[in-house]
Structure formats: C-alpha cells, structure tokens
Amino acid sequence: MVDRGGTKTPTSFDVARAAGVSRSTVSRAFTPGARISPEVRSRILQAADTLGYHVNALARGLQSRHSNLVGIVASRLDSPLRALQVRGLAQGLLREGMNPLLLVADGGEDVQALIQSVLGYNVAGVIVTSDTPPPEVTLACNRAGVPVVMINRGPATEGADTVVLDLEKSGRAAFEMLRDSGVRRFALLSPAQKTYSVTGRSEAFLACCKAAGFDVVTITSDGQSFAAGRAVADAIAARIGPDQIEGIFCATDLLALGVLDRLRHARGIDVPQQLQLVGFDDIEQAAWDAYGLSTIRQDVLEQAAAAVELTLLRLEQPDRPYETRVFGLTKVFRKTTAVQGP
Amino acid sequence: MVDRGGTKTPTSFDVARAAGVSRSTVSRAFTPGARISPEVRSRILQAADTLGYHVNALARGLQSRHSNLVGIVASRLDSPLRALQVRGLAQGLLREGMNPLLLVADGGEDVQALIQSVLGYNVAGVIVTSDTPPPEVTLACNRAGVPVVMINRGPATEGADTVVLDLEKSGRAAFEMLRDSGVRRFALLSPAQKTYSVTGRSEAFLACCKAAGFDVVTITSDGQSFAAGRAVADAIAARIGPDQIEGIFCATDLLALGVLDRLRHARGIDVPQQLQLVGFDDIEQAAWDAYGLSTIRQDVLEQAAAAVELTLLRLEQPDRPYETRVFGLTKVFRKTTAVQGP
DNA sequence: TTGAAAGCGCTAACAA
DNA sequence: TTGTTAGCGCTTTCAA
C-alpha cells in the first residue's frame, strides 16, 4: 500500500466517533456472533459505510492470532487438472470467507522458505497439492500450530488431514478397462519422478496385472506432461505388433494424449485397432473428439471441496483426530478402447 | 492459526535476548538494505534460526503500512491461457518477495466485496486479469492508495498501469493470415460477451476486412470456451460451400479448437480444404498434432512479467506517470490454413 | 450491552 | 551502528 498523501484510510476510531460509540463496540459490530444490540450495530455499519471503512485484516490477524488466509501450495499450475483444482480450492475458500495465498512450488522455489514466509501471515491453514510433498511442510506447520490438508499426497500422515484417491481401485480400474476390452499383453507408461498418486496407481496396476498372470512392459517418461508422452511414443510404437503390447495404461491423461497424438499423426497407428489406450484423470481435453480418450475420472472439484471442509473442521476443533477422505473414481469408455462409450 | 497449546512462536524479543541486542536490531537484520554490521547480523540470524523465528508478516505489514501481498484478480482460472498467466504472475511475484493473494472472480463472486477484503490486508498492489474489469476496482484501489495493474483490460485507464496487446495489429494479423492463404470470403466467430481484448481484436479484424473491400459473416458464440465453439460449429458448417465462407477467424484458440473438433469429426469437413481457420492465443493445445491450429501467439508469460515489473516500479515511485506497455504478437502458420508452417 | 485499558509483534523516528 | 520510544489498528479481557 502506497501512501499517496491522500486521505488516510479510516480506522475503527473514526467510525467509533462518527457513531458515538467506543472502538470495542465497532469491533463487535464487525465480529459475527458478538454480543451487540441490533440498533447500535446498524448505526455503526452505516457510519462505516459512509466513511468507507473496512476492517484492517492485518491488525485483526495480529491481535486475534490468526488471519483468514489459507496457503495453497501447488505445482504445475498450468496443467489442466491442477488449474481446475486450484480454482475449486480458491472458490471454496473465498465462499467461506477465507483468502487463498497462492504458493507456486515448481522445482526452482524453495518450498521450505515459502512455507516459512506464509507462516508469518498467521495463516489459518495450508492446503498442499504440490507434486513434491516435502514432509517438512507438515512439520513446520505443525510446529506453528497451523492445520495442513494434503490432497493426493498421502499416505495419511500424522499431523495432517488427507484427501486421497483410492490407489488400489485406480490401478484395478485401469487393468479392468484394458482387460475387458480384450487386451492380453499389457504395458504401463509412468513418469520416472515418484509421486504418491501417480506412482501409487501405476504400482497398483502392475500388481493387478501380475496377480492375473499377465506380464507388463513398463515404459518410463520424463515427467507427466503432454510433451513427455509424445517423447516416448516412438518407443511405444516400436513395441506394437504380433506378440507385442496390445494395450497401455498411461498414468495421466496428458501423457496419454501426448502418446496418442504422435502415434496417430506421426506414426499412422490405429488406436484402438493396433493399440488400446487408457488414461487417468479425465481432463477436459480427453473428451475432445480428436482424441476421445478412454480414461478414469477423478472429481477434482469434489476433492477441493473436501479439502476446504477439512480445513474449516480442524479450525473449529483443533483436537479432532486426523481424517482421511478417500475418493472413488469412474471408468469412462470412449474411443481408445475396444469397448467404447456412447 | 490454531493455538495447540504448544510452545509459543518466538518473537523478535526472544531473538533479541538470545543475541544480546535490541529488538530494532533484530528488525534490521531481517530488513534488506538496513544499516547493520555483518557480524551482529549473522549472530542474530543464527539465534533466529535456532529459535525457529520468522518475521511476523502481519505485524510488519501493520506497522510499515504495506504488506508484501499482491492481489491477483482472475476469472476462468481453469482455461489454459489464464492458468499459464496466473502461474507466471505468481512465480514472478514470489521471485520478488511478494506473495500472491488469489481472487477468483467468476460471475458469482462479488468483485467489489473481494477487493474490499483484500484492501484490508494493506496489499502492495493489485493485478487484474479478470474478464469483467469493474472500473470500481481501480477506483477502490486508488482511494486506498494501492497500485493497480490491468492486463488486457485497457484501454489505458487513468489510475492504473496497463499491459495490453496491440488490438489493431491483432485483428490485422488475423486478416492477413487468411487473406495470404487465399481466402476471399471471410467470417468471424466472436463471443457475445464484450471483453476488451477479444472484442477489440474482433472489431479490428472486421475493420481490416471492410477496408480491403471484403464482406464478413459474423457468428456469435456464447462465451469463449471449447464448448461454445463446438456449439456453433453446425451453424458454421451450414455456410460452407460455393459462394459462402472460405475462412474464419475465431477470436480465441479454445473457440477455434471447439469449432475444428466438431467440423472434422462430426461433420467430416476438410480443414483447410473446405474451410480455413485461424485462432488466437496459441495455447498449448493449438500445437497438438490432432489440431495443428494456425493461430496468433501472444506471450502471456512475458505479459505477466511486465505486470509484476510495473507493480514494483510503482511501489518505488508512486508518482510516476501511468504507463501502458503494448505487446506484439506472432503469426503461427500450422495446418488449418493453406499457407502452412513447418 | 458497552467502555477502558492492555497488548498482538513489529518498524520507524529519534537519540546516543 | 545501535538502542529507546512510540505507535500501526485491532481485539480482548475486565469492569461498569
């Protein structure tokens, strides 16, 4: 805030004087549930309105030992899934009267330092949906008494509420979709970088295949982006053919789309005739006609809502036991599997 | 922040005592550019580290009359362009030691109320990249002495620095791309909702066509999403044919992609043989092989960096004249025009 | 229901 | 270069 010499922002003192009450009373007028008579209250509110007064959140937070700021730690903000998730988080928070402090944690940034700086705002809570889940985040927040909610960053950690997808079901769903589409020779495409949810469902998929007596060819990508998928498409194409792979589970939609794009347009491979493909997430682009990706849907908006709810719950009851909300998923058959959707 | 009865967070007082100095000196140790001897400074930093001390941003902001919080007002956070923009903004801000306060302003929310609440944090600035640019935002911020930067929300408003695309060049580039690809019968697809940049370039395109002696068929969509494009694709298809439209400029890539998707896959229309198509933005998906959309690139990351820079500049020199940075664009020929890229 | 007084943790004048 | 003294604007006991 730059002081441009203009009129100073009015304080509760100015409102108090205008309304003929004390500053404490003004404070009460702006505190939901405070004991104050309706008449006095509306008189104050009116005075405040004409003066253009609004509570100074800094002072309030300083005094009351907590602001209504909630930190959101997110990485890869520009990936479709994450963008939607952050939007859900921000809107949910705003709706509850909290303000989201956005922390982008893509590689370069020092997450630890970010958390420290955020803690300096007496944040009411921190929601983590980053890829790299530094356990120190939980630690630092716990020390400061700040509740933490992890989204798909489990496993259920002591000291944090958690929102997760059912890993086992995720992997199984992928296996089933391919198997039910007639695939007998399986492959898996998964990023080299370990991540709770992506690696987790990949391993669950592997386990399912093995349990059913199938071998799996595993291919590793550099990251989970579209470009990463595209980059390994040739390696995949090379393994298509008699006695080779028939169906592949790509651990994220973006990866699947990258593979699909190159397979079809550069290699002229017919999906699903020559190779079947299943992704994961059901991002908006998966449904675009040019792709029609068969995939497994997770409802990020629902997860975001749960994260907000968990944050508020812990604010109300700091001592409640840590909770883990496990979310399900939906198989979405489209056009990259033999079994096809509508 | 919930007080879980644990150890209290250390204050500058504790650090001062541990380091054997006064609180002001501790403050100086954490203030870049403050006059303090290196030895004392490192002694304090060390004491702070062992105590787990970090500056309380609330108290600092309260006292110094400005926090290092910067509000970002954004809408449609989950659209590819906006997501990238917000990411750039957040990272740029973080890099400069500022923290982004994210305000999602999609229809429902009362922007005015949001701004008020944000102003309560003594934010150092506000960056607006929302679709609906309430002039009240500028007004409210100006009254509070908070600098405002508008991204593509011009025209240059008094009271705000501005980052914009060259509207005239945008529209002209679209016209030229189609014309140079041999189009003689033009069409325009633009959202019904007025927006500075989208409506602006649409009108510039119209003007260019008219000036060159061409008529233009204008088609209106409900919004600028993929779905909106898809929804008007049939209406466009109906106008393809002898003596009908040969090329269309879609005011956003998402719109163009929606049209293209349905035209090709539901209507079996050959683009660019039967119809040429040019989009705008060059979002990631435009380059995906399944689409290969010819488009006009705007560099959102560069714009975001400029917005951050303008915010900082005004912080340093509150009285400098308001500045407008105009950005150029790049024609990207791909596969939806007769003239094609690499 | 209201008011008076005491800080929340920090920075910014000023003095040393 | 360092310490001292005042607040920043608010909420929160505690009395009235």
Side-chain angles (χ1 to χ4, degrees):
Chain A
M1 197 173 73
V2 175
D3 201 1
R4 281 228 205 60
T7 46
K8 293 185 52 173
T9 6
T11 74
S12 68
F13 186 81
D14 301 313
V15 178
R17 196 175 36 197
V21 295
S22 74
R23 279 157 70 216
S24 336
T25 311
V26 174
S27 170
R28 289 189 254 268
F30 286 96
T31 305
R35 299 182 217 294
I36 186 175
S37 78
E39 308 91 67
V40 177
R41 173 150 210 263
S42 71
R43 184 150 47 93
I44 293 175
L45 256 33
Q46 172 154 3
D49 198 51
T50 65
L51 287 176
Y53 167 83
H54 51 97
V55 180
N56 183 319
L58 254 25
R60 168 179 276 180
L62 179 58
Q63 161 64 26
S64 60
R65 321 255 326 148
H66 67 265
S67 62
N68 47 13
L69 251 22
V70 172
I72 298 180
V73 181
S75 58
R76 297 186 301 107
L77 199 63
D78 50 329
S79 77
L81 191 78
R82 197 48 57 73
L84 192 58
Q85 196 170 49
V86 169
R87 176 194 168 154
L89 251 19
Q91 278 188 308
L93 251 19
L94 249 21
R95 201 172 302 124
E96 299 292 345
M98 321 293 293
N99 290 112
L101 206 52
L102 184 61
L103 301 185
V104 182
D106 285 293
E109 290 80 7
D110 178 0
V111 181
Q112 188 64 12
L114 287 183
I115 288 293
Q116 286 304 330
S117 96
V118 161
L119 254 23
Y121 285 101
N122 288 9
V123 289
V126 170
I127 298 177
V128 180
T129 172
S130 164
D131 279 333
T132 54
E136 309 92 41
V137 171
T138 310
L139 219 69
C141 290
N142 280 338
R143 278 206 311 183
V146 174
V148 182
V149 176
M150 298 273 184
I151 303 184
N152 278 331
R153 297 292 148 238
T157 331
E158 198 49 31
D161 293 301
T162 315
V163 173
V164 287
L165 233 48
D166 189 319
L167 255 32
E168 210 282 316
K169 277 191 190 149
S170 302
R172 168 166 304 280
F175 167 69
E176 288 173 355
M177 284 181 74
L178 288 172
R179 184 200 58 192
D180 293 351
S181 275
V183 171
R184 290 297 171 270
R185 296 173 180 280
F186 296 81
L188 164 70
L189 172 58
S190 192
Q193 299 78 357
K194 299 259 175 276
T195 262
Y196 175 74
S197 52
V198 177
T199 309
R201 62 184 171 245
S202 298
E203 283 170 358
F205 171 76
L206 243 34
C208 273
C209 294
K210 299 242 164 85
F214 296 105
D215 275 343
V216 183
V217 172
T218 298
I219 294 164
T220 302
S221 64
D222 179 21
Q224 40 179 290
S225 66
F226 183 90
R230 187 178 234 162
V232 293
D234 286 339
I236 293 172
R239 313 197 66 154
I240 299 175
D243 286 343
Q244 302 243 43
I245 62 179
E246 298 171 356
I248 185 167
F249 170 47
C250 303
T252 74
D253 274 0
L254 226 35
L255 226 34
L257 258 17
V259 169
L260 186 53
D261 205 43
R262 185 154 178 87
L263 243 35
R264 278 188 179 154
H265 297 277
R267 308 292 308 238
I269 286 165
D270 186 326
V271 176
Q273 280 299 326
Q274 296 174 259
L275 180 72
Q276 302 197 41
L277 207 64
V278 166
F280 197 98
D281 286 341
D282 196 24
I283 60 177
E284 185 195 345
Q285 289 78 10
W288 291 2
D289 274 344
Y291 297 102
L293 179 67
S294 294
T295 186
I296 295 161
R297 173 182 307 152
Q298 62 166 314
D299 190 336
V300 283
L301 255 22
E302 191 184 20
Q303 293 167 29
V308 172
E309 197 187 324
L310 284 173
T311 304
L312 295 175
L313 274 175
R314 180 149 312 278
L315 246 30
E316 289 164 17
Q317 313 164 38
D319 296 321
R320 64 196 289 273
Y322 289 106
E323 184 180 345
T324 297
R325 299 241 176 126
V326 182
F327 283 85
L329 30 85
T330 319
K331 294 176 187 168
V332 182
F333 286 96
R334 291 206 181 92
K335 316 235 173 288
T336 58
T337 42
V339 172
Q340 303 208 340
Chain B
M1 195 174 72
V2 174
D3 201 1
R4 282 230 201 59
T7 46
K8 291 185 56 171
T9 11
T11 75
S12 68
F13 186 81
D14 301 313
V15 179
R17 195 176 36 196
V21 295
S22 74
R23 281 159 67 218
S24 341
T25 309
V26 174
S27 169
R28 287 190 258 267
F30 287 96
T31 305
R35 299 180 217 293
I36 185 174
S37 76
E39 309 88 67
V40 177
R41 175 152 209 261
S42 71
R43 181 149 48 96
I44 293 176
L45 256 32
Q46 172 154 1
D49 199 51
T50 64
L51 287 176
Y53 168 83
H54 51 99
V55 179
N56 182 319
L58 256 23
R60 169 180 273 181
L62 178 58
Q63 159 63 23
S64 60
R65 320 260 318 152
H66 67 266
S67 60
N68 47 11
L69 252 22
V70 172
I72 298 179
V73 181
S75 58
R76 297 186 300 107
L77 198 63
D78 50 329
S79 77
L81 190 78
R82 195 51 56 73
L84 191 58
Q85 196 170 49
V86 169
R87 177 193 168 155
L89 251 18
Q91 278 187 309
L93 253 16
L94 249 22
R95 200 172 303 126
E96 298 292 345
M98 321 292 294
N99 290 111
L101 205 53
L102 184 61
L103 302 185
V104 182
D106 285 291
E109 290 80 7
D110 178 359
V111 181
Q112 188 63 14
L114 286 183
I115 289 292
Q116 285 305 330
S117 95
V118 162
L119 254 24
Y121 285 101
N122 286 8
V123 289
V126 170
I127 298 177
V128 181
T129 172
S130 163
D131 279 334
T132 54
E136 310 92 40
V137 171
T138 310
L139 220 68
C141 289
N142 280 338
R143 279 205 310 182
V146 173
V148 182
V149 176
M150 298 274 184
I151 302 186
N152 278 331
R153 298 293 146 236
T157 332
E158 199 46 33
D161 292 301
T162 315
V163 172
V164 286
L165 233 47
D166 188 320
L167 255 31
E168 210 281 317
K169 278 191 191 150
S170 302
R172 169 166 303 279
F175 167 69
E176 288 172 357
M177 284 181 74
L178 288 171
R179 184 201 59 194
D180 294 351
S181 272
V183 171
R184 289 298 171 267
R185 297 175 178 278
F186 296 81
L188 164 70
L189 172 58
S190 191
Q193 299 79 356
K194 298 261 175 274
T195 264
Y196 175 74
S197 52
V198 177
T199 310
R201 63 184 170 246
S202 297
E203 283 170 359
F205 170 77
L206 244 32
C208 273
C209 294
K210 298 244 164 85
F214 296 106
D215 275 344
V216 182
V217 172
T218 298
I219 294 165
T220 301
S221 64
D222 179 22
Q224 39 180 290
S225 66
F226 183 91
R230 186 178 235 162
V232 292
D234 285 340
I236 292 171
R239 313 197 67 154
I240 299 175
D243 287 345
Q244 303 244 43
I245 62 179
E246 298 170 356
I248 185 166
F249 169 47
C250 302
T252 74
D253 274 0
L254 227 33
L255 227 34
L257 258 16
V259 169
L260 185 53
D261 204 44
R262 185 155 177 86
L263 243 34
R264 279 188 179 153
H265 297 276
R267 308 292 306 241
I269 286 166
D270 186 325
V271 176
Q273 280 300 324
Q274 295 174 260
L275 180 73
Q276 301 197 42
L277 206 64
V278 167
F280 198 98
D281 287 339
D282 195 25
I283 59 176
E284 183 195 344
Q285 290 77 11
W288 291 2
D289 273 346
Y291 297 103
L293 179 67
S294 294
T295 186
I296 295 161
R297 175 182 308 152
Q298 62 166 313
D299 190 337
V300 284
L301 255 22
E302 191 184 19
Q303 292 168 29
V308 171
E309 196 187 326
L310 285 173
T311 304
L312 295 174
L313 274 176
R314 181 149 311 281
L315 246 30
E316 288 164 17
Q317 314 165 36
D319 296 321
R320 64 197 289 274
Y322 289 106
E323 183 180 346
T324 298
R325 299 240 177 127
V326 183
F327 282 85
L329 29 85
T330 319
K331 294 175 186 168
V332 182
F333 288 94
R334 292 206 182 92
K335 317 234 170 290
T336 59
T337 42
V339 172
Q340 301 205 342

